[in-house]
Amino acid sequence: MSKQESWTSAGSDDPRLACPITPVVDIVFSRWTTPILWTLHREGRMRFVELQRHIGTVTPKVLTQRLRQLERDGLVLRTYHPEVPPRVEYEISELGRSLAPLFAKLAEWSADHLDSVETARLAYDGGTLP
Amino acid sequence: MSKQESWTSAGSDDPRLACPITPVVDIVFSRWTTPILWTLHREGRMRFVELQRHIGTVTPKVLTQRLRQLERDGLVLRTYHPEVPPRVEYEISELGRSLAPLFAKLAEWSADHLDSVETARLAYDGGTLP
DNA sequence: CAGGATCCACTTGGATACTG
DNA sequence: CAGTATCCAAGTGGATCCTG
């Protein structure tokens, strides 16, 4: 396999789409989406405030926005129980679960190379502002 | 393998770190970073304006900011040639190349599931505002 | 050519208060 | 409880001009 073909098999010269994975990044790696998906995957079905507490510092407004987007993209399922007080549960969908190997790869790269990034940063900062 | 352990082997209950892959996402999936890395990987060493033209609509200021960040994180190498006119070349580093399988996984997921996302969006939009 | 400097428009996200 | 509505601070990206 040539080094030119290791990431993509078909070469597109369209300057407007220099990176074919941009749409996926927009869907999966928007802010707060990875903590949400990660938590829902690990902890299973969960209520709104539970989710909020697990993630930490996230305001209800923003959490709602992200959950709506994830629901629209089919990565998260929302179940509304018409009771008093109302109860809403969120869970990861099958499509969301299909991201598992991807996230595993990400965690793997993190474990293998995150310290290299830290080293590079220290070298850069030390070399530019001593 | 239980479904609780498929993404992470050790369970952390620290609410401040609900998602262990957040740092990687910040490093690799900041805005413009994937087009930059993708282009540099596919096209090889490249000058500033070349890179700018390949990516499309990106202002020099922002491109410089992202390149500085990628250089600091050790993902991109910058070579300055003191000539007139000055010539600067950017290329992907070894650490940057180590992202290749990750990006491949991303492209794979994209090819397999992006249409499902589109379908989910159409269903969601059709069901909420008919 | 490769940016740095400056100014500005817009978007995001947080804080707060309120509702069904 | 599960949001929505409103206001507001901050960060971000674009446009323009300028330099070595």
Side-chain angles (χ1 to χ4, degrees), chain A residues 4 7 42 72 100 125, chain B residues 4 7 42 72-73 100 125:
Chain A
Q4 304 290 359
W7 279 7
R42 283 207 55 215
R72 189 174 103 99
D125 294 346
Chain B
Q4 304 291 359
W7 279 5
R42 284 206 55 215
R72 189 175 103 98
D73 291 342
D125 294 346

Side-chain angles (χ1 to χ4, degrees), chain B residues 18-129:
Chain B
C19 179
I21 65 176
T22 298
V24 202
V25 172
D26 289 341
I27 292 171
V28 180
F29 298 107
S30 300
R31 197 157 297 177
W32 295 117
T33 55
T34 41
I36 292 172
L37 291 175
W38 188 278
T39 302
L40 286 182
H41 187 276
R42 284 206 55 215
E43 308 290 331
R45 174 178 290 194
M46 197 176 296
R47 301 182 64 168
F48 186 84
V49 279
E50 270 184 289
L51 189 55
Q52 185 179 5
R53 271 189 286 267
H54 265 85
I55 292 178
T57 60
V58 61
T59 177
K61 189 187 79 172
V62 177
L63 182 57
T64 302
Q65 287 175 348
R66 295 298 112 178
L67 283 172
R68 287 289 182 279
Q69 176 187 336
L70 290 171
E71 187 194 359
R72 189 175 103 98
D73 291 342
L75 300 177
V76 157
L77 298 176
R78 188 182 107 115
T79 314
Y80 177 75
H81 303 270
E83 308 165 357
V84 276
R87 185 164 56 93
V88 176
E89 288 183 317
Y90 292 93
E91 61 184 321
I92 199 166
S93 70
E94 272 309 310
L95 186 56
R97 280 203 177 80
S98 72
L99 288 166
L102 188 61
F103 278 46
K105 268 284 179 190
L106 217 52
E108 182 187 335
W109 191 90
S110 179
D112 291 345
H113 303 288
L114 211 57
D115 55 341
S116 299
V117 173
E118 188 57 32
T119 302
R121 285 179 175 176
L122 291 174
Y124 185 91
D125 294 346
T128 51
L129 27 115

Side-chain angles (χ1 to χ4, degrees), chain A residues 4-121:
Chain A
Q4 304 290 359
E5 296 295 321
S6 56
W7 279 7
T8 178
S9 53
S12 163
D13 286 3
D14 187 351
R16 293 168 302 179
L17 253 183
C19 179
I21 65 176
T22 298
V24 202
V25 172
D26 289 342
I27 293 170
V28 179
F29 299 107
S30 300
R31 197 159 295 181
W32 295 116
T33 54
T34 41
I36 291 173
L37 291 174
W38 188 278
T39 302
L40 286 182
H41 187 277
R42 283 207 55 215
E43 308 290 330
R45 175 178 292 196
M46 197 175 297
R47 300 182 67 167
F48 186 84
V49 280
E50 271 184 289
L51 189 55
Q52 185 179 5
R53 271 188 285 266
H54 269 271
I55 292 178
T57 58
V58 60
T59 178
K61 188 187 80 171
V62 177
L63 183 56
T64 303
Q65 286 175 346
R66 296 296 111 179
L67 283 171
R68 287 289 182 278
Q69 175 186 337
L70 290 171
E71 187 193 1
R72 189 174 103 99
D73 291 342
L75 300 177
V76 158
L77 297 177
R78 188 181 107 115
T79 314
Y80 176 75
H81 303 271
E83 310 165 357
V84 275
R87 186 163 56 94
V88 176
E89 289 183 315
Y90 292 92
E91 61 184 321
I92 200 165
S93 70
E94 273 309 310
L95 186 56
R97 280 203 176 80
S98 71
L99 288 166
L102 188 61
F103 278 46
K105 268 283 178 191
L106 217 52
E108 182 187 335
W109 191 92
S110 180
D112 291 345
H113 301 288
L114 211 57
D115 53 344
S116 298
V117 172
E118 188 57 33
T119 303
R121 284 180 175 176

